[in-house]
């Protein structure tokens, strides 16, 4: 399977660092130094995850020249579904006109899009059919505006890719480290702790990040490991990578993981300053931006890597 088309959808409104720093009582420049983020796209009040996913999916289908009726499966990677039940993917499939496709949500956090590519590639080969993979999130509704660890970082957006039969995905890696499940988490709203007025009052329905320094070190190691494992599966080494598109976790993680992988910033797509961290949406958005900037050329070797809550990690090597 190979990527035949990509598309993205980013909200028009952006929140700049000055606004966030003022609200949190932080000194000017704190957010940029800590995260590399300057702007965060934020969904409009009437804009949900499905709305962004539909826009990105429609753009990717048009870019690929694929008829919606030819898509056999939609995989929607999201941590912010429109509703707890039902899954959001069937609604997105309906709105896109994917009348012959199965559709399911993937809850793999920031690694969701790469997980979707790996699973979609396998299913597409099995069915000899097209697969649409979308990463979409409205994280502004899961972020505590009083928490500098998350409010300065997370953003909203969607990106998509259409997989069609052919040679393109050269190797993948999927990893999970469940012993670290509580380093990035939302405590309330699931079967372990249902929502209650008390939980909402305490902000337990919003995202929390624990043990920041250790989480940073773990994310760097896991990002680099995912890339190395995917390259091993493709029987390539890092010197063959033309373009590395990491999950836009934050700029410091990207730089440190790049050092471990042996990939320079000149070969790295870094859009975190303008687009923030939209979890599973960052990599497909970055692919679209990279192509617009002329950084992606057919035939190049492209490495994708991601790490996120769970903790989960994923890597994929593509011949673009």
């Amino acid at each position: 399977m190979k990527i035949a088309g990509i598309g993205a959808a980013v909200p028009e409104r952006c929140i700049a660092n000055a606004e966030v720093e003022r609200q949190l009582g932080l000194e000017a420049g704190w957010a940029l130094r800590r995260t590399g983020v300057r702007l965060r796209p934020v969904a409009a009040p009437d804009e949900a995850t499905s709305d962004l996913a539909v826009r990105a999916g429609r753009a990717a289908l048009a870019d690929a020249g694929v008829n919606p009726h030819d898509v056999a499966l939609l995989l929607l990677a999201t941590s912010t579904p429109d509703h707890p039940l039902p899954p959001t993917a069937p609604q997105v499939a309906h709105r896109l006109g994917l009348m012959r496709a199965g559709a399911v949500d993937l809850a793999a956090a920031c690694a969701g899009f790469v997980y979707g590519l790996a699973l979609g590639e396998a299913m597409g080969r099995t069915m000899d059919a097209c697969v649409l993979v979308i990463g979409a999130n409205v994280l502004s509704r899961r972020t505590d505006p009083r928490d500098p660890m998350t409010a300065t970082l997370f953003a909203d957006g969607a990106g998509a890719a259409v997989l069609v039969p052919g040679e393109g995905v050269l190797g993948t890696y999927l990893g999970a480290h469940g012993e670290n499940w509580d380093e990035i988490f939302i405590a309330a709203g699931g079967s372990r702790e249902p929502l209650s007025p008390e939980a909402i009052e305490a902000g337990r329905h919003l995202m929390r990040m624990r043990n920041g320094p250790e989480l940073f070190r773990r994310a760097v190691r896991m990002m680099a490991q995912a890339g190395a494992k995917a390259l091993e599966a493709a029987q390539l080494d890092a010197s063959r990578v033309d373009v590395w598109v990491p999950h836009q976790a934050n700029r410091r993680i990207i730089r440190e993981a790049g050092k471990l992988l042996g990939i320079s910033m000149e070969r790295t797509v870094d859009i975190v300053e303008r687009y923030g961290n939209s979890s599973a949406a960052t990599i497909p958005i970055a692919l679209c931006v990279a192509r617009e900037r002329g950084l992606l050329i057919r035939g190049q070797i492209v490495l994708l890597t991601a790490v996120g809550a769970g903790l989960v990690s994923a890597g994929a090597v593509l011949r673009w």
Side-chain angles (χ1 to χ4, degrees):
M1 301 292 287
K2 64 181 181 181
I3 293 179
I6 54 177
V10 178
E12 292 183 7
R13 182 190 173 208
C14 283
I15 295 179
N17 282 353
E19 181 178 343
V20 178
E21 290 165 345
R22 184 169 57 251
Q23 290 175 347
L24 291 169
L26 300 171
E27 64 175 311
W30 187 93
L32 184 63
R33 288 196 305 273
R34 289 290 297 267
T35 68
V37 177
R38 189 183 299 275
L39 295 171
R40 293 149 211 81
V42 174
D46 62 346
E47 202 167 32
T49 293
S50 63
D51 300 316
L52 296 172
V54 168
R55 284 171 50 197
R58 188 173 290 130
L61 288 167
D63 186 50
V66 168
N67 189 309
H69 284 218
D70 293 331
V71 176
L73 179 64
L74 165 63
L75 298 175
L76 174 62
T78 185
S79 299
T80 60
D82 284 11
H83 308 282
L85 192 72
T88 302
Q91 180 187 351
V92 173
H94 171 72
R95 291 170 61 184
L96 287 173
L98 310 183
M99 307 310 293
R100 301 176 182 175
V104 67
D105 290 4
L106 288 180
C110 298
F113 179 78
V114 185
Y115 257 78
L117 278 183
L119 299 175
E121 192 273 338
M123 289 300 298
R125 278 191 289 108
T126 299
M127 299 182 293
D128 192 30
C130 302
V131 175
L132 175 60
V133 182
I134 303 177
N137 281 294
V138 180
L139 291 170
S140 59
R141 310 228 172 104
R142 294 289 185 270
T143 303
D144 187 344
R146 302 163 297 182
D147 176 18
M149 293 292 290
T150 57
T152 57
L153 183 60
F154 290 103
D156 304 337
V162 178
L163 291 168
V164 302
E167 183 185 1
V169 179
L170 305 181
T172 61
Y173 166 78
L174 303 178
H177 297 269
E179 69 273 18
N180 306 119
W181 68 271
D182 61 349
E183 293 195 353
I184 309 173
F185 74 114
I186 296 174
S191 62
R192 180 69 63 187
E193 182 182 342
L195 275 181
S196 66
E198 294 78 17
I200 294 173
E201 178 65 24
R204 292 179 62 78
H205 63 304
L206 300 173
M207 190 187 317
R208 290 286 182 266
M209 299 173 66
R210 296 178 55 178
N211 195 12
E214 179 55 33
L215 177 59
F216 172 85
R217 289 189 288 270
R218 205 185 310 278
V220 169
R221 291 195 301 269
M222 289 175 64
M223 183 92 82
Q225 180 191 53
K229 292 287 188 180
L231 285 165
E232 182 181 339
Q235 299 182 13
L236 297 172
D237 59 48
S239 67
R240 293 289 307 280
V241 175
D242 296 300
V243 180
W244 175 39
V245 185
H247 162 52
Q248 308 292 296
N250 70 47
R251 180 161 292 154
R252 293 191 300 145
I253 288 176
I254 292 171
R255 287 179 173 172
E256 293 304 313
K259 292 176 184 177
L260 291 182
L261 277 168
I263 297 177
S264 67
M265 289 302 293
E266 287 74 23
R267 291 187 284 159
T268 302
V269 177
D270 175 2
I271 64 165
V272 71
E273 182 172 332
R274 167 62 180 81
Y275 295 93
N277 181 345
S278 53
S279 188
T282 68
I283 285 179
I285 292 173
L287 286 171
C288 291
V289 173
R291 187 176 65 176
E292 290 171 3
R293 294 176 179 174
L295 301 177
L296 288 179
I297 302 170
R298 286 297 178 187
Q300 286 179 324
I301 300 298
V302 178
L303 173 65
L304 312 179
T305 60
V307 60
L311 295 173
V312 292
S313 59
V317 181
L318 315 173
R319 186 177 301 281
W320 191 258

